[in-house]
Amino acid sequence: MGETMSLKGLFQTLKKRIWLIMLITIIAAILSAVVSFFVITPIYEAKTQILVNQTKSDDQLYNSTEVQTNIQLINTYNVIIKSPAILDKVKSDLNLERSVEDLNSQITVSSATNSQVVEIVVQDSSPHVAAEIANETAKVFQTQISKIMKVDNVSVLSKAIVKDDVSPIKPHPLMNIMVAIIVGLVVGGVVVVLIEHLDNTVKTEQDIEYILELPVMGVITNIKEIPKATNVAARAPLNTRAPQRGETYGS
């Protein structure tokens, strides 16, 4: 009951209300499972790759300066790929019922350091739609970049395909449940400690010693209720008159 709690007292408190901790943990795990399996929409991912490189004839030699120029252009291309000039046409070609802003949020463009390969990643609730958006974005960009920047240095390396055993990238139900169990244990422990800390009732001899700062001299245990004595007189016959001459008991 004190303001501070020893490590031993903490373990005793947690042990005393372990049922409450387990209840909170089980509820958290069940809620996480329900949300992961039935509430959150599964999201699938599709990828396509494009190569940024100048078209060369057979008699041209490898030029490292040109490679560096192409790498520097990639940062510009990353912005152009997600621009309305590209996404508007992608939306129109695929007849997508979503805004350009929503389409933009589904697409991620990235490239490795010092690499001429650009990866277009699309996330969608449908794996087929995600693949269509990725492939169409690469196709439209390859066509439009020659008009926008007057260059022809983009080619498609790989197209997005949908496998038979495709799995969503999120949510991760098992991971979510594990996190919920850990959070439930922590929250349950905090709740138990708070309950014990805010409880100012006297329950044990130690509580009395702490409050009064006096030693406990003795303890009166609970005495079970003593059964009432049997009243023999109450069960005696009501007719107590002495028998007259000529009478006997029972007549």
Side-chain angles (χ1 to χ4, degrees), residues 124-140:
D124 193 87
S125 57
S126 168
H128 297 281
V129 174
E132 289 177 356
I133 294 175
N135 292 330
E136 188 65 21
T137 301
K139 176 183 175 182
V140 171

Side-chain angles (χ1 to χ4, degrees), residues 42-174:
I43 300 297
Y44 298 86
E45 186 176 85
K47 302 178 182 178
T48 186
Q49 293 179 324
I50 59 177
L51 175 66
V52 178
N53 190 27
Q54 294 288 349
T55 304
K56 297 182 180 298
S57 59
D58 295 337
D59 58 346
Q60 286 180 303
L61 299 177
Y62 178 83
N63 190 333
S64 60
T65 304
E66 232 174 58
V67 173
Q68 291 299 322
T69 301
N70 290 333
I71 292 174
Q72 292 172 3
L73 281 174
I74 287 176
N75 293 329
T76 303
Y77 288 172
N78 290 349
V79 176
I80 295 176
I81 290 174
K82 298 186 66 175
S83 67
I86 304 298
L87 298 187
D88 268 331
K89 185 166 179 55
V90 172
K91 174 187 174 183
S92 176
D93 292 346
L94 297 178
N95 296 320
L96 299 175
E97 297 181 355
R98 66 195 69 178
S99 65
V100 174
E101 290 76 13
D102 292 337
L103 185 59
N104 188 308
S105 65
Q106 292 181 253
I107 301 175
T108 303
V109 182
S110 62
S111 58
T113 304
N114 296 328
S115 172
Q116 295 176 250
V117 177
V118 177
E119 188 174 64
I120 301 174
V121 181
V122 179
Q123 296 182 355
D124 193 87
S125 57
S126 168
H128 297 281
V129 174
E132 289 177 356
I133 294 175
N135 292 330
E136 188 65 21
T137 301
K139 176 183 175 182
V140 171
F141 174 72
Q142 183 183 20
T143 304
Q144 296 297 317
I145 194 63
S146 59
K147 300 177 183 179
I148 296 174
M149 298 188 65
K150 308 300 181 183
V151 293
D152 184 17
N153 63 343
V154 176
S155 57
V156 178
L157 281 181
S158 63
K159 292 185 177 181
I161 58 174
V162 181
K163 299 180 180 180
D164 295 334
D165 57 344
V166 61
S167 300
I169 61 168
K170 55 183 178 181
H172 303 285
L174 294 180

